[in-house]
Each structure stands twice: as C-alpha cells, then as structure tokens.
Amino acid sequence: MTQVGLCARLTDLLSGHLGKLGDGEGARALRDAVAALGEPLPRLAVGGRLKAGKSTLVNALLGTGVAATGHTETTTVVSRFHHARKVSATLHTLDGKSAPLSLDARGRVPARLDAPLSEVDHIAVGLPSAVLAERFTLVDTPGVDSLSGLDPGSERALAEADAVLYVMPHPGDNDNRALLRVREQAAGSGLTAANVLGVLSRVDQLSDGEGDPWPIAHRVAANYSAKLRGVAGGIVPVLALLAHSATEFDDADTAAVLKVRALPAPELEDVLYSAEDFLTMAPLPDEHSRRLMSALGMYGIRALVASTRTDTGGFAELLRETSQVDPLLERITTSLAAGSDRLRCTRVLANAEAATWRGTSPAEKSALGAVRAELDRFRGLPELGQVRLAGALTDVLLGRCELPEDEVAALERLATGTTTAACLGLPEGTGAAELADAADDEIDRWRAWENTPSAVLSRHARDASELCQRFFFAQQDDNGGLP
C-alpha cells in the first residue's frame, strides 16, 4: 500500500478547520498555506553573495538569457520565473498592485526599474520553458552580504522556497558566514542543510585556464562539502558562464572562432597563451575579442578552438556539455523529486504554526489553538524525522553538541539522504535484508548516545534512533522508509 504524501495529509488537516475559522488574519494565512501545499512543482530559489553569478546560473538552468547579468550586481529585486505560453513580465509592488513590465532590447529583465526598489515586491516572468513546465519554478534573488544579511524581499523568497541553490564562485569563510546568515534568517521556514545545495560556479578560474580544470573543481567541491557540513547538503561544480553563453552564441561568434582556429600552429599557440595575448593578438576586431573573452573565458575559447565542430549549433552544444550544467540540473531534479513532498510540507507546516498565533477574538484564538495542537502532533510524525535531524547538523556545526567524525558522517547521511540506502550509507539496489541489518546497527549506534549528559545531543540521538527504527520496520512492508 502506498502512503498518502505529507502535503496531502497536511492539506486535509488544515482544510478540516478552515470552515470554523472565519476570515481573520490567521484564517487567511492558513488558506494561503493550503494553496502553497497544492502547488504542482517545487520552488527553487537561487541565492549567493554579491556578484556571485546567480543570474548567470539561472540563465544556464533555463537555457535562455532572460535574467539580467553583468560585471556588477544586476539583480536588485526578486525575480520569479514560471512556465507560460509566451514571454511576459509583471512588476508586483508591496501594496498588492501589479503592472506589465517591458523587457529590455535583448529580451532580458531590466537591470534597473523605474519604480522605487523600496516599493517593489518581485518581478514575475513567464517563459515557454520545459524546465519550468516539468521540473520546478525558479526564483532569482539579490546578493546576500555576509554582514548585513538578506534584504526583506530575499528573506521572503527564501522563506517561501522548497530548496535553495547557493552560488559561490570561490568558496571561503565569507560563504560559510553568509550561508549561516541565510539559514538563520530563513530558519522559521524549515530551511536546513537537506534542502540547500552549493554551486561552485566559476570552475575555469580555479586554474590558469590551461588543461582540464575539472579534477581541481571536484577536489575543491569535496573539501568545501565537508567544511559546510550542516549548512549545505553538498557542493556541485559547474561552469555556468559557458552554459549561459551557449544560449546566445551566434553565427558571428562561430565565424570568429573559426578564424582563430585557422591560424598557423605557432601563431595560434601564441594567441591562446593567455587572455592578454588573445585580446591583443587575435585576428579579430577588438570588440569581438572582448566579447568572446567575456562570454567564454580562455578555457571556453580553447575548448572551441580545439574541437572539430564548425557550426553555431555544434559550438553551442559543446559549450553546454563543457559547462556540466545538465548533471547539476539532474541532481537538482532528482533531489527535489525525492524530497519535495517532505520539504514543502516542512516549510508550510512552519508557516501554518506561525499563523495559529494570529487570532484576535477569544473565539478565533480558541479555534486556532485547536489547529495548533493538531499541527504539534503532526510535527511528531516519523516521516518528518529526517527534517528534525537536519537541525542536528547545525547544532554540531555551531558547537552546541560534539560528536566523533564517524558519527557526524552518519548523521549527515541520515539527514540528507534521499533514499533509505543513501541514509544508511549503502549502494542503491541493496536488498531488504541488508538494509534491515544496517538499520539495526544504526539503531544501536544512536541508542548508545541517548544517555549522554548533553540534553541537545540526547534529543538528536533519539530522533536518529527513531528514524532508523522506521527504516528497519519499513523492510517488512511498503508503508514507510524513503523511496
């Protein structure tokens, strides 16, 4: 028997009370919660520090150049991208009004708006996009400063997201602090490491542009995945610039690359030696040399020159392949598909709980209190145990409790795995008997920590033990466990 999804169960719980709540602020918020539970696709927000390349990644994922990009921070307000039959843009203000917005001459969201930014809530952009129709809706946010944190619009956008891509060109301590700040400000929405994925976005800049930068990129991503444990579920490298440029590569660019490729070998070697040499020695107009450098970097230019492709479509296809954006897209889709019901339920549950405190009259307060009591019981469902464990990773990261490295690794698997096998550290396809044995071992592991003097650690160990018990018993029927 297949179990009813968490979002459907929470919808039924809330809907059963709405007719008794009247039309106060709390009731309206709960109706909004029910509407959010019914959204057909996950919401994916893209965040990161200032000038991290967020909009470039948005364009790479969508396969279009609609998001404004540049050498300075160009995203000044939240932009929400959804599927539509034709391209359109609408400006929404904080007072609830909306008005059509014209895209710029290149078909992009304008980098600057006529309306005062303090009055703008978000821009809604409709696109005929298979990604937006089948996989997720996408939200582009302004940059986050590690000191001042999120602006109100970005905070709302992240609080309403089911998952977050955090873009970092060169990960470091500032990203760690900024990510913690994002998590702190959006904590009430259920945002945890389980639904945050880091993206290492400028792979080509990790080397001097010669040779293959991907081995370095994967090592850096692995190192920072370990350092950001408890803050993000992992770091994935991608060369977003090339995927974005693939959407705009035209016949003039193709002709320029072919002209460079046709140079005699000694001259070609000199031209491709460095960025400075390319800009000064390539047999191209200065404007076009600068365009190729800006769009491709030396790594992208060398990749196209070294290829045997000769047409615009082939070059664009190679750029997308080289960017490795499609493996990132598949990881996003797989993770969201496996966990979107749980993540959406967690986010809306937090919002619904907050709404139950908004009663004004005694009757409304009483009715909302009854909802709150049921939500409290709902939060204790074993299916939400993985979300509770994600908070344990943050406590470990912040030093609120201490665990040996092996236990931290086991905790991370439990909190972020998208299948039972992944949670238990086993290969996909492992049989039920072996899964049950591994779950039994994990139960013993975490029960040993339940009697620790640390109340925080004891609580987390109990949650881990209960989740592993669920995995154990799920092998006897198909009503529990992860897919």
Side-chain angles (χ1 to χ4, degrees):
M1 182 175 68
T2 301
Q3 190 170 24
V4 176
L6 287 166
C7 284
R9 293 162 70 183
L10 183 55
T11 297
D12 288 343
L13 186 160
L14 294 175
S15 298
H17 286 274
L18 290 180
K20 311 169 189 175
L21 294 176
D23 196 36
E25 182 183 354
R28 290 194 297 272
L30 290 180
R31 289 189 179 92
D32 289 342
V34 170
L37 288 166
E39 289 184 19
L41 295 174
R43 287 191 192 185
L44 178 65
V46 179
R49 290 197 293 132
L50 298 171
K51 296 178 286 187
K54 300 178 296 299
S55 297
T56 298
L57 180 63
V58 167
N59 287 336
L61 293 172
L62 296 180
T64 180
V66 69
T69 61
H71 295 294
T72 59
E73 181 67 20
T74 54
T75 302
T76 53
V77 298
V78 171
S79 296
R80 300 178 181 177
F81 298 91
H82 62 275
H83 177 67
R85 297 181 64 180
K86 61 180 182 179
V87 178
S88 64
T90 306
L91 180 68
H92 293 265
T93 53
L94 291 171
D95 59 7
K97 297 178 181 178
S98 62
L101 178 68
S102 297
L103 301 180
D104 67 16
R106 300 179 66 182
R108 295 181 174 183
V109 175
R112 296 291 180 265
L113 303 173
D114 293 334
L117 296 182
S118 60
E119 298 177 5
V120 176
D121 183 68
H122 70 279
I123 296 170
V125 182
L127 296 172
S129 162
V131 169
L132 295 175
E134 301 167 6
R135 302 197 186 210
F136 46 72
T137 58
L138 198 57
V139 183
D140 190 13
T141 66
V144 57
D145 186 285
S146 60
L147 297 178
S148 63
L150 298 166
D151 67 90
S154 295
E155 187 171 353
R156 286 193 302 274
L158 293 174
E160 295 171 355
D162 298 311
V164 172
L165 290 184
Y166 183 86
V167 185
M168 51 187 80
H170 307 293
D173 290 340
N174 285 337
D175 284 298
N176 195 345
R177 288 193 294 271
L179 259 171
L180 281 172
R181 184 71 169 157
V182 167
R183 287 274 304 282
E184 177 186 346
Q185 291 181 266
S189 67
L191 186 64
T192 70
N195 47 341
V196 176
L197 183 66
V199 179
L200 188 64
S201 62
R202 295 176 185 166
V203 167
D204 58 325
Q205 296 182 12
L206 296 175
S207 66
D208 59 4
E210 295 187 40
D212 185 359
W214 289 102
I216 299 174
H218 287 295
R219 285 197 300 273
V220 171
N223 288 339
Y224 275 93
S225 291
K227 289 183 178 180
L228 292 173
R229 177 183 293 163
V231 179
I235 308 295
V236 178
V238 67
L239 218 173
L241 176 65
L242 294 190
H244 165 70
S245 296
T247 69
E248 301 180 332
F249 205 80
D250 58 23
D251 291 343
D253 297 325
T254 298
V257 171
L258 294 177
K259 189 171 185 178
V260 172
R261 182 192 289 175
L263 292 172
E267 187 176 346
L268 179 61
E269 183 177 355
D270 289 341
V271 168
L272 299 181
Y273 183 75
S274 69
E276 181 180 357
D277 288 325
F278 181 84
L279 290 173
T280 57
M281 299 173 62
L284 303 170
D286 289 347
E287 182 179 345
H288 213 143
S289 296
R290 290 193 298 270
R291 165 170 159 67
L292 289 182
M293 183 61 62
S294 175
L296 306 175
M298 281 309 301
Y299 176 64
I301 291 171
R302 287 173 177 143
L304 293 187
V305 170
S307 77
T308 58
R309 306 189 193 197
T310 58
D311 62 282
T312 300
F315 280 146
E317 184 178 78
L318 178 61
L319 289 174
R320 188 165 181 94
E321 291 171 0
T322 304
S323 75
Q324 294 197 19
V325 73
D326 288 322
L328 170 63
L329 188 59
E330 286 305 312
R331 175 159 178 180
I332 294 167
T333 304
T334 301
S335 298
L336 286 174
S340 61
D341 180 65
R342 184 176 64 256
L343 300 177
R344 170 77 58 79
C345 178
T346 302
R347 171 174 66 82
V348 177
L349 177 59
N351 294 339
E353 287 172 328
T356 64
W357 293 100
R358 298 178 188 170
T360 52
S361 69
E364 186 182 17
K365 289 180 179 179
S366 176
L368 289 172
V371 179
R372 187 163 58 251
E374 286 201 42
L375 292 178
D376 188 56
R377 289 191 291 272
F378 188 93
R379 185 174 282 282
L381 289 173
E383 291 91 334
L384 291 174
Q386 192 179 29
V387 176
R388 292 193 291 272
L389 280 185
L393 289 176
T394 301
D395 284 342
V396 171
L397 181 74
L398 298 177
R400 294 169 183 154
C401 58
E402 295 183 3
L403 281 171
E405 184 61 27
D406 286 350
E407 259 68 1
V408 174
L411 185 66
E412 183 176 27
R413 288 195 298 269
L414 284 175
T416 62
T418 56
T419 66
T420 297
C423 287
L424 297 174
L426 296 174
E428 296 306 317
T430 298
E434 198 172 342
L435 287 173
D437 287 343
D440 196 30
D441 290 342
E442 290 299 297
I443 292 169
D444 290 339
R445 177 206 293 265
W446 295 111
R447 278 180 174 169
W449 286 97
E450 285 187 40
N451 296 321
T452 180
S454 167
V456 174
L457 180 54
S458 177
R459 172 168 51 84
H460 293 322
R462 185 163 55 252
D463 286 337
S465 175
E466 290 175 355
L467 181 61
C468 293
Q469 289 177 54
R470 179 186 165 211
F471 292 152
F472 178 84
F473 290 113
Q475 305 318 306
Q476 276 69 57
D477 58 58
D478 64 355
N479 286 339
L482 297 175

